Amino acid sequence: MTKVAVILTQGFADWEYALIAGTGGPYYGLDVQFFTPEVGEVRSFGGLVAVVNQGFELIAEWAPTVVVVVGGNIWMSSEAPDISELLKSYHSNGGTVAGICGGTLAIARAGLLNDVLHTSNDADFLSQNAKGYSGTDSFRKSCSAVSDKGVITAPPTAPVSFTAAILESAGINEETVLQFRNMMAAEHA
């Protein structure tokens, strides 16, 4: 079973992880587990209280295929956890690192967006909030997730394409990923 680690922080964005957890495990056979800087309760942007019993230090031991950084306002504050070493180590060992919205800041701070195609809320969002970010030439203004060299990024409005890119990176076949995308787009057809 392919493992996907989802990193949640205080104020995590409810809509950004929902399809990964809600469809990835039950429908696509992924083992999705949650991790947080401090074991215990985390409150989402929308007020959901979740109890997460695994800290960041357990991610490497668990050895997931994909590490997902969920967005939230904390990533733009001085309270943001520093997970740069975790992300760099994971990526350099062949793992996929994914971030959506504010989660892209953690990836940018790790230096992983400097040489790969990527997106986020906008280019200024990254340069203003991620010290050491120098990837503006590789930034792509996109309404959908961008995947390049083991790094997946997305703006906050793209949880469907973000989840699809994670499913693909986790080894779900192309036909099944297309079926997922079409199912999620059906109401807009």
Side-chain angles (χ1 to χ4, degrees):
M1 183 177 286
T2 302
K3 299 175 182 179
V4 177
V6 177
I7 293 177
L8 300 179
T9 55
Q10 292 296 342
F12 66 90
D14 306 73
W15 61 96
E16 294 175 355
Y17 79 94
L19 293 171
I20 299 163
T23 63
Y27 296 106
Y28 302 112
L30 302 180
D31 183 359
V32 179
Q33 293 193 24
F34 298 91
F35 299 83
T36 191
E38 294 180 26
V39 171
E41 289 186 356
V42 288
R43 181 178 299 274
S44 76
F45 190 76
L48 173 71
V49 176
V51 177
V52 179
N53 60 7
Q54 298 181 101
F56 290 162
E57 71 280 359
L58 298 177
I59 293 175
E61 180 183 319
W62 189 56
T65 301
V66 183
V67 173
V68 178
V69 185
V70 176
N73 290 337
I74 197 169
W75 296 111
M76 295 171 283
S77 78
S78 61
E79 296 175 24
D82 183 1
I83 58 173
S84 295
E85 291 307 313
L86 168 76
L87 298 176
K88 283 191 283 192
S89 172
Y90 202 76
H91 186 258
S92 68
N93 288 318
T96 298
V97 175
I100 184 169
C101 188
T104 61
L105 293 174
I107 296 172
R109 290 177 185 135
L112 298 176
L113 298 185
N114 293 339
D115 299 313
V116 299
L117 298 178
H118 62 278
T119 193
S120 182
N121 301 20
D122 62 49
D124 289 340
F125 177 74
L126 291 169
S127 59
Q128 291 171 3
N129 292 290
K131 184 179 179 184
Y133 169 72
S134 62
T136 53
D137 289 343
S138 298
F139 180 84
R140 300 296 180 259
K141 184 168 178 61
S142 176
C143 297
S144 300
V146 172
S147 183
D148 187 33
K149 301 176 189 168
V151 177
I152 300 167
T153 53
T157 55
V160 173
S161 61
F162 184 63
T163 300
I166 290 166
L167 294 174
E168 187 174 305
S169 181
I172 304 301
N173 70 58
E174 186 177 327
E175 182 179 321
T176 302
V177 173
L178 181 60
Q179 181 185 28
F180 166 80
R181 291 176 77 103
N182 288 339
M183 177 178 65
M184 292 295 115
E187 75 172 294
H188 302 289

